[in-house]
């Protein structure tokens, strides 16, 4: 595995006794990294995903629960930063992996727009806690790791490639380089480049300049290339915005904040009702909500952990080093999201940005988690970096992950279509779970039709059936 086009350094041959305690604990030299790289990687990951501190309150705050109550922006912001900080630090200490956690996009929408209208916020977060308990149980029992290991290697590689495309698409869309075509249902082109098919305005120019700078620095193997590019693009965005008062930045407008320190609001902490949702929404509806949360959290995290770890060179024979501990922390993240009131926390794709900067150990996660914790009191500073400055990192890292295509056996027809479905549907449906599910169902169906049932294994058979229910859940619900 290479690091952004440069040769990955060999593990240190230094005697263990000569290594620092920090180095030995995190296996920094063993994984071919340095403390400096880990710090840079941790900062880069934070910069790439700190938008969640601003975005999650917008999503959760946009809906009212069954009583008409709405969550305050200050409380959700505090909950988001607190959960992200604690769980990411825990990932560093326990999982020793360069993986950062925060409130998951997609599942927070389920909580806000599907669950809350059918129950109170406390009951919705109670179901989130139950999701975390289910995922922790599967991690502790080893079920979750066995499921991951049962998936054939070509499909695991396809997940990495699909997520690479997903990351790049997220970056392009968040920067405004790719936009949705208005009334796309009546158009043959659902998305387009820029505004009206043209790249217009300073925000797009900042993105393009930042992307070009990052490509040049990365191709030349400059240390800190990703972080340097983000910093330069952010500085330029602040300057341009202050001079020309530009519109169209999106969620974050790059400007020097009026104040630096903000007071956290912990009012949502521990405000949960574990089983009340079954009474408010009905047992069947609440069970479906819980099923959706568990399945989405399970496979979204599985795909992200596998692909980012592969990119970091932390896999051997398709298995991630320390996967059991990583999965345990991820499950605890979902639980923490319910307890804090921030929605289920899960591993973020943007962790790949830190890996691209050189992060290989949990020390990078501790740096990222520390910055999230500091954000509890420094929320205004998180609103300085616009999407146009951070998005180039997602595009470049996504492109690097596409190199895994060379490992896919395209001539093997048992895998060709399932792999394609996995790769295509992850970005096209904006869902890692959908891509994984479609690939697994197609793979199992092909094996059954070719009389190779014994090659499937009982785990994949059950997964295919579960995903069949997942894809048809709306139809099934209509029967009740």
């Amino acid at each position: 595995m290479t690091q952004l086009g440069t040769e990955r350094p060999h593990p240190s041959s230094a005697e263990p006794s000569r290594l620092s305690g920090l180095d030995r604990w995190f296996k920094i030299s063993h994984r071919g990294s340095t403390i400096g790289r880990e710090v840079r990687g941790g900062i880069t990951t934070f910069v790439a995903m700190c938008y969640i501190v601003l975005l999650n309150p917008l999503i959760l705050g946009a809906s009212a629960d069954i009583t008409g109550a709405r969550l305050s922006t200050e409380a959700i912001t505090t909950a988001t930063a607190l959960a992200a900080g604690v769980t990411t630090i825990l990932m560093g200490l326990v999982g020793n992996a360069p993986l950062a956690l925060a409130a998951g996009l997609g599942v927070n929408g389920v909580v806000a727009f599907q669950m809350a209208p059918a129950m109170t916020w406390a009951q919705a977060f109670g179901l989130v806690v139950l999701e975390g308990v289910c995922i922790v149980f599967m991690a502790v029992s080893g079920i979750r790791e066995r499921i991951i290991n049962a998936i054939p290697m070509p499909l695991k590689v396809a997940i990495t490639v699909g997520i690479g495309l997903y990351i790049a698409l997220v970056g392009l869309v968040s920067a405004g380089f790719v936009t949705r075509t208005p009334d796309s249902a009546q158009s043959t082109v659902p998305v387009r480049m820029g505004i009206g098919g043209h790249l217009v305005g300073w925000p797009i120019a900042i993105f393009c300049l930042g992307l070009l700078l990052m490509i040049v620095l990365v191709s030349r193997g400059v240390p800190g290339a990703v972080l340097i590019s983000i910093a330069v693009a952010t500085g330029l965005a602040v300057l341009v915005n202050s001079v020309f008062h530009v519109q169209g930045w999106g969620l974050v407008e790059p400007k020097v904040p009026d104040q630096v320190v903000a007071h956290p609001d912990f009012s949502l902490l521990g405000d949960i009702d574990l089983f009340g949702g079954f009474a408010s929404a009905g047992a069947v509806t609440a069970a479906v909500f819980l099923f959706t949360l568990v399945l989405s959290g399970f496979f979204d995290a599985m795909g992200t952990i596998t692909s980012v770890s592969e990119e970091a060179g932390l896999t051997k024979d398709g298995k991630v080093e320390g996967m059991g501990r990583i999965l345990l922390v991820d499950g605890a993240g979902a639980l923490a999201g319910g307890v804090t009131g921030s929605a289920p926390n899960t591993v973020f794709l943007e962790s790949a940005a830190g890996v691209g900067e050189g992060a290989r150990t949990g020390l990078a996660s501790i740096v990222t988690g520390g910055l999230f914790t500091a954000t509890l009191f420094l929320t205004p500073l998180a609103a300085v970096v616009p999407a146009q400055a951070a998005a180039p990192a997602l595009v470049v890292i996504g492109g690097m992950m596409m190199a895994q295509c060379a490992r896919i056996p395209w001539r093997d027809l048992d895998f060709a279509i399932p792999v394609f479905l996995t790769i295509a549907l992850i970005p096209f449906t904006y869902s890692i779970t959908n891509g994984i599910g479609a690939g697994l169902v197609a793979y199992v169906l092909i094996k059954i039709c070719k009389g190779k049932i014994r090659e499937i294994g009982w785990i994949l058979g059950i997964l295919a059936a579960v995903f069949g229910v997942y894809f048809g859940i709306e139809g099934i619900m209509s029967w009740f």
Side-chain angles (χ1 to χ4, degrees):
M1 186 65 60
T2 57
Q3 176 193 333
L4 295 177
T6 63
E7 183 180 355
R8 184 182 176 186
H10 297 288
S12 172
S13 59
E15 294 292 335
S17 60
R18 297 178 59 185
L19 300 175
S20 68
L22 192 67
D23 197 318
R24 290 196 301 272
W25 178 271
F26 291 106
K27 302 180 181 179
I28 296 173
S29 295
H30 176 74
R31 294 184 180 179
S33 185
T34 65
I35 292 177
R37 285 182 180 174
E38 296 302 309
V39 172
R40 288 201 306 269
I43 296 174
T44 300
T45 295
F46 172 77
V47 170
M49 63 182 286
C50 65
Y51 67 86
I52 192 64
V53 177
L54 302 173
L55 182 58
N56 195 46
L58 289 180
I59 294 174
L60 292 182
S63 180
D65 68 6
I66 194 171
T67 68
R70 292 179 179 271
L71 302 177
S72 73
T73 299
E74 294 77 10
I76 307 173
T77 300
T78 296
T80 304
L82 176 63
V86 171
T87 55
T88 302
I89 291 174
L90 191 63
M91 177 63 77
L93 293 174
V94 178
N96 193 23
L99 301 168
L101 295 85
L105 294 175
V107 288
N108 58 359
V110 172
V111 174
F113 304 115
Q114 296 182 37
M115 294 170 58
M119 59 188 74
T120 67
W121 285 110
Q123 292 166 351
F125 290 129
L127 283 183
V128 172
V129 171
L130 292 179
E131 176 216 350
V133 171
C134 291
I135 294 179
V136 167
F137 170 76
M138 288 189 288
V140 172
S141 64
I143 294 175
R144 196 174 183 187
E145 189 168 2
R146 291 185 66 181
I147 290 174
I148 293 174
N149 292 336
I151 297 176
M153 180 57 66
L155 289 181
K156 288 182 180 178
V157 175
I159 293 170
T160 299
V161 175
I163 288 177
L165 285 173
Y166 184 20
I167 289 174
L169 181 59
V170 168
L172 293 170
V173 171
S174 63
F177 192 92
V178 171
T179 59
R180 177 181 178 274
T181 301
D183 300 322
S184 59
Q186 302 176 8
S187 172
T188 58
V189 182
V191 294
R192 61 187 178 182
M193 182 177 70
I195 301 174
H198 302 283
L199 301 179
V200 180
W202 274 110
I204 294 295
I206 295 296
F207 167 74
C208 292
L209 291 173
L211 179 60
L212 292 175
L213 175 61
M214 192 174 296
I215 290 172
V216 171
L217 296 181
V218 164
S219 64
R220 293 181 62 86
V222 175
V226 175
L227 191 55
I228 291 172
S229 301
I230 293 175
V232 170
T234 299
L236 185 58
V238 171
L239 177 62
V240 167
N241 191 56
S242 64
V243 174
F244 299 104
H245 305 290
V246 179
Q247 301 295 318
W249 292 106
L251 181 64
V252 177
E253 180 183 354
K255 61 181 180 180
V256 178
D258 297 329
Q259 60 180 11
V260 175
V261 178
H263 299 290
D265 179 351
F266 295 101
S267 60
L268 290 177
L269 185 61
D271 185 15
I272 58 173
D273 181 350
L274 284 179
F275 303 103
F278 290 90
S280 294
V284 174
T285 300
V288 170
F289 286 149
L290 183 58
F291 173 76
T292 302
L293 289 176
V294 171
L295 198 65
S296 297
F298 185 108
F299 284 98
D300 274 23
M302 187 204 77
T304 303
I305 291 168
T306 301
S307 60
V308 175
S309 298
E310 178 74 23
E311 191 66 17
L314 302 180
T315 59
K316 184 177 181 181
D317 298 327
K319 298 181 178 180
V320 178
E321 180 181 344
M323 176 61 94
R325 298 189 303 274
I326 292 172
L327 294 177
L328 178 61
V329 176
D330 178 72
L335 195 154
V339 172
T340 59
S342 65
N345 274 230
T346 187
V347 175
F348 256 53
L349 291 169
E350 284 81 354
S351 301
V355 169
E357 193 56 65
R360 296 291 181 269
T361 76
L363 179 58
S365 294
I366 291 179
V367 172
T368 303
L371 291 172
F372 268 118
T373 303
T375 303
L376 281 169
F377 306 94
L378 303 174
T379 303
L381 292 180
V384 175
V385 182
Q388 290 78 7
L394 304 183
V395 177
V396 171
I397 301 304
M400 298 299 298
M401 295 172 71
M402 288 294 295
Q404 299 293 324
C405 279
R407 301 175 55 197
I408 297 175
W410 292 106
R411 295 185 181 277
D412 187 340
L413 297 183
D414 286 5
F415 287 109
I417 297 301
V419 162
F420 167 75
L421 289 175
T422 301
I423 293 174
L425 291 183
I426 288 177
F428 288 168
T429 66
Y430 254 56
S431 170
I432 299 172
T433 300
N434 289 346
I436 293 174
L440 284 176
V441 170
Y443 174 75
V444 169
L445 181 62
I446 289 172
K447 288 295 186 182
I448 292 175
C449 292
K450 295 181 71 172
K452 300 179 179 180
I453 298 179
R454 292 185 178 180
E455 295 182 15
I456 298 173
W458 66 271
I459 293 180
L460 289 186
I462 292 176
L463 284 180
V466 169
F467 272 111
V469 174
Y470 171 75
F471 288 127
I473 194 69
E474 292 297 331
I476 295 173
M477 282 291 295
S478 66
W479 298 343
F480 293 93

